[in-house]
Amino acid sequence: MSYRVKSYAAQSSSSPLAPFQFERRSPRADDVVIEILYCGVCHSDVHNVRNDWGNANYPMVPGHEIIGRVIATGAAVTRFKEGDHVGVGCLVASCQRCDACDHGHEQYCQNGATYTYNHNDPIDGTRTFGGYSEKIVVAEDFVLKVPNTLDLAGAAPLLCAGITTYSPLRHWKVGKSSKVAIVGLGGLGHMGLKLAKAMGAEVTLFSRSPGKEDDARRLGADHIVISTDVKQMAAVAGRFDLIINTVPCKHDVNPYIPTLASGGTMVMVGYLGPLDNFNTGPLVFRRKALAGSLIGGIAETQEMLDFCGRHGIHSDIERIAIQDINQAFERMLKADVKYRFVIDMNTLKESI
Amino acid sequence: MSYRVKSYAAQSSSSPLAPFQFERRSPRADDVVIEILYCGVCHSDVHNVRNDWGNANYPMVPGHEIIGRVIATGAAVTRFKEGDHVGVGCLVASCQRCDACDHGHEQYCQNGATYTYNHNDPIDGTRTFGGYSEKIVVAEDFVLKVPNTLDLAGAAPLLCAGITTYSPLRHWKVGKSSKVAIVGLGGLGHMGLKLAKAMGAEVTLFSRSPGKEDDARRLGADHIVISTDVKQMAAVAGRFDLIINTVPCKHDVNPYIPTLASGGTMVMVGYLGPLDNFNTGPLVFRRKALAGSLIGGIAETQEMLDFCGRHGIHSDIERIAIQDINQAFERMLKADVKYRFVIDMNTLKESI
């Protein structure tokens, strides 16, 4: 039996999200059928819906920060049963035989991972549709367990914003002696502050504008540096082992490089695109690096959820009804959200 | 007793190198007095002499690839004696108490290392003058032992070109299972091929133009990829764990990033300056990095010399007389040298 589900979808790059119905596949032997309870609204949802990256395929149901409840399982599923609270992030499949998959880096699958929406299922070729929807059907290897201690709505953004900052913090071995800076206080940035602090690091927020001090400190920042203030920037020269740059748009990254310690790395997790006049000189003179990082692997995402469960870490969210999604997109583009919209998918029952 | 020494120096950014005499300091207790036998000609010598980096201080005696013989030692010197063959590279002092120095990274000294020329001695404030000279006086902590198995002239370029490529190969843990690429076949590039091959890596040369295959293979390359050939570049997509980019001038580095494996790094060791439109997207999608690296620490430089001694690795050189240095600069700028000029400093006796 396949599932006819309600959802919200974009029909073109200029159309707002609107009610849409389609069929979810019948569960294959290794599939889990999930009733979606909450779905976070990621900045990349706007980019995808508006075809900013040139690869949009309509109709498109966005959403890859999914929290739900298992309502059915395929015959071969062993790790989940009806009633379990589960999460689904940005990935729903990968080849699981390449070197990257062997190392648990499904997000870097050499044969191409399958994204939760705007992609094609590798087995039957059908389109993938995301979490702004009643239900989703996902292979159990790509379903995450949600610790009992987590609030379900606040956990949704962990599936993308959380793992996107957790993965570089772990890869670059952040711990008690680390000095970490986060550039930008948005969906990703506020998770970066919380996670780095919970790992024991001394944490600094770089922000362009004053006024975020109280929030930043509450979220885990030990220090706030106004990045447009030359004196404040000079005062932290050579300070940071790792900078996670969450700014989602083109900006001058050169001023941050001198604040790295020798051997330090700035990791881009927000902006994908060309930089103007990025200067290699400061990299050479202190063996520094500019790197990138993309979400995380499945095992690492589970590790992150468990870490958040132990440390009581959620996203700071604003709950919305699905009917408010288009306004939420507009507000998100103005950075008018603290710090992540999460759709209460129960409100979808009122649609259509 | 101080030493009046003959040398070749530039008097301004537009003057050619010409005979020059000055005083070398009397040896302090920890100093070694070295009769210079050979000095390599580094691309940075031209940049410094011509004030390309805006920090030239004239008169300037270039040269930081120095091989010589100990002719006197201060009272506290314990590791060297008269007659020893020794080397001096790019550094002649550092604070030796900061975190970088404590870790053997004198090149990244947080209080500023002292360069072999165009700099100031941290003790008496006198100018430092380099190796295009009869003698040099250097604190023993910055003097290297030259293994007996090394040819002295061929060893000179190891002190800069050698360590500049050795250090990133070691830092990024190149070994038998590594796939390494070198961009550019010049002074640095030819050392990179030899060293990476001796470490057991599979080695590829990226070159803009055909015709270098025979030389590249002789120097250690297993493969040659013409970087302007889109098909050849596509054939090595995702291949390399480490790329060492030795090109000394501004160029488009974007085409090399897709040839890195997931988690791979391209290290800039030649070009210090702004890049046009460096794209962060390919870094993010496979957790890649663009890094820089500067020469190496003193212990690491000794390790490199010992490694070269064990593996019989020298620079491929063209010996010149000091009287030919200005033509050598011109030829070097046209990449007309295989692969490093080394000045036979014996020829200096005929000058002045």
Side-chain angles (χ1 to χ4, degrees), chain A residues 287, chain B residues 98-108 296-301:
Chain A
R287 194 161 61 199
Chain B
C98 71
D99 192 56
C101 287
D102 278 351
H103 285 83
H105 304 315
E106 295 88 355
Q107 77 275 34
Y108 304 128
I298 297 300
E300 191 176 44
T301 305

Side-chain angles (χ1 to χ4, degrees), chain A residues 269-287:
Chain A
V269 296
Y271 175 62
L272 312 178
L275 297 172
D276 288 336
N277 293 313
F278 179 66
N279 196 323
T280 64
L283 300 182
V284 171
F285 279 107
R286 290 287 189 276
R287 194 161 61 199

Side-chain angles (χ1 to χ4, degrees), chain B residues 214-350:
Chain B
D214 290 350
D215 245 21
R217 288 188 193 282
R218 178 179 60 76
L219 294 164
D222 299 294
H223 312 284
I224 294 96
V225 173
I226 302 302
S227 56
T228 51
D229 182 322
V230 174
K231 274 193 189 166
Q232 288 192 35
M233 293 297 277
V236 291
R239 174 76 63 92
F240 305 110
D241 306 302
L242 182 70
I243 299 175
I244 299 188
N245 186 325
T246 73
V247 176
C249 54
K250 189 172 184 173
H251 60 292
D252 185 4
V253 304
N254 285 317
Y256 299 107
I257 304 296
T259 73
L260 286 169
S262 284
T265 298
M266 177 156 75
V267 185
M268 306 296 286
V269 295
Y271 174 63
L272 312 177
L275 298 172
D276 288 337
N277 292 314
F278 178 65
N279 197 323
T280 63
L283 299 183
V284 171
F285 280 107
R286 290 286 189 279
R287 195 160 60 200
K288 298 174 180 180
L290 181 76
S293 181
L294 183 74
I295 48 174
I298 297 300
E300 191 176 44
T301 305
Q302 187 63 61
E303 177 192 300
M304 177 274 307
L305 286 171
D306 296 342
F307 178 89
C308 289
R310 286 197 306 279
H311 290 86
I313 294 176
H314 304 85
S315 177
D316 282 24
I317 65 163
E318 183 174 337
R319 282 189 203 214
I320 59 167
I322 187 69
Q323 294 78 7
D324 297 329
I325 185 62
N326 294 304
Q327 296 102 294
F329 272 17
E330 292 302 326
R331 284 183 52 200
M332 193 164 50
L333 289 172
K334 292 183 229 160
D336 176 22
V337 53
K338 288 184 174 175
Y339 281 93
R340 203 70 154 178
F341 290 114
V342 170
I343 308 164
D344 181 345
M345 215 49 73
N346 203 40
T347 58
L348 187 57
K349 294 180 181 158
E350 299 154 23

Side-chain angles (χ1 to χ4, degrees), chain B residues 88-156:
Chain B
V88 176
C90 302
L91 305 176
V92 290
S94 72
C95 80
Q96 300 191 277
R97 56 179 188 272
C98 71
D99 192 56
C101 287
D102 278 351
H103 285 83
H105 304 315
E106 295 88 355
Q107 77 275 34
Y108 304 128
C109 174
Q110 286 150 313
N111 295 302
T114 303
Y115 295 125
T116 302
Y117 69 90
N118 194 42
H119 226 163
N120 296 301
D121 182 82
I123 295 175
D124 64 16
T126 56
R127 303 285 319 290
T128 62
F129 292 108
Y132 295 11
S133 183
E134 280 181 317
K135 295 184 182 65
I136 192 167
V137 181
V138 180
E140 80 167 322
D141 286 349
F142 289 79
V143 178
L144 290 310
K145 292 174 188 286
V146 178
N148 290 333
T149 50
L150 285 180
D151 171 73
L152 295 176

